[in-house]
Amino acid sequence: DGHLLVSSGGNANYTTVNSRGSLDVYSGGTALNIVENGGDVFVAVGANVTFTPNTFSGLVLSDATASLHSGTVANSTTVNSNGFLYVKSGGTADSSCVMSGGELYVDTGGTASYTRVQSGGIMVVSQGATVYETHLDSFGKAKLWGGAVASNTSIGYAAEMTVLSGGLADTNIID
């Protein structure tokens, strides 16, 4: 659970953020060549950051948070209770499973595909984000904000997808 904080005028280069690690870069701070490897990176408005593309698989988030910024791809992530997976602009989550008490948040410009949301799990899709091939198991939930797009969604028994004004759910199967 290590934590690196870069404040205004500070610099951090070639930082790898592993599972349960965190990096916060505040306005005026610089962090270059960040490698996201299952940890959480917070980038404030006014911060200067770059990311090195990275792909990892099999992450399990329990009482933990991970972020996926530009060029970062997470395959087969399991998001358990009090786990949070944040897909930022240019990030990709593929074949994630969101369990009870877990949350997948796809931010503007982020992408998630082949996601399975189980009972008690939730997926939130922000404006300008896109999700493909989502399956909502019984009592799983998803919410699409205006400008979000969900394609090829399967909605199981007692599952629920809420499409807010301006959101688009395209090609759905409701069981």
Side-chain angles (χ1 to χ4, degrees):
D1 293 38
H3 184 201
L4 174 60
L5 187 153
V6 182
S7 59
S8 182
N11 296 274
N13 295 324
Y14 298 100
T15 302
T16 297
V17 187
N18 290 322
S19 178
R20 294 195 172 273
S22 62
L23 168 64
D24 292 349
V25 189
Y26 290 102
S27 181
T30 299
L32 304 180
N33 300 298
I34 301 165
V35 177
E36 288 178 304
N37 197 45
D40 183 37
V41 178
F42 168 77
V43 180
V45 174
N48 178 33
V49 300
T50 62
F51 290 87
T52 299
N54 186 45
T55 299
F56 58 88
S57 300
L59 177 68
V60 178
L61 295 170
S62 301
D63 297 304
T65 300
S67 59
L68 309 174
H69 285 82
S70 182
T72 304
V73 178
N75 294 318
S76 302
T77 302
T78 301
V79 187
N80 288 321
S81 180
N82 293 317
F84 298 91
L85 179 60
Y86 292 101
V87 186
K88 301 292 188 176
S89 181
T92 301
D94 188 32
S95 301
S96 304
C97 186
V98 185
M99 310 294 283
S100 180
E103 180 176 334
L104 170 61
Y105 186 94
V106 189
D107 208 350
T108 302
T111 303
S113 56
Y114 298 98
T115 304
R116 190 176 195 100
V117 182
Q118 297 198 344
S119 176
I122 187 167
M123 178 177 71
V124 179
V125 187
S126 184
Q127 177 181 4
T130 305
V131 297
Y132 305 94
E133 303 289 347
T134 301
H135 179 73
L136 302 178
D137 280 344
S138 297
F139 298 99
K141 291 187 177 182
K143 179 181 286 187
L144 273 63
W145 291 96
V149 177
S151 297
N152 298 326
T153 303
S154 173
I155 303 172
Y157 170 77
E160 179 179 283
M161 173 179 277
T162 303
V163 183
L164 300 176
S165 178
L168 173 62
D170 184 45
T171 313
N172 310 289
I173 297 174
I174 304 173
D175 296 326

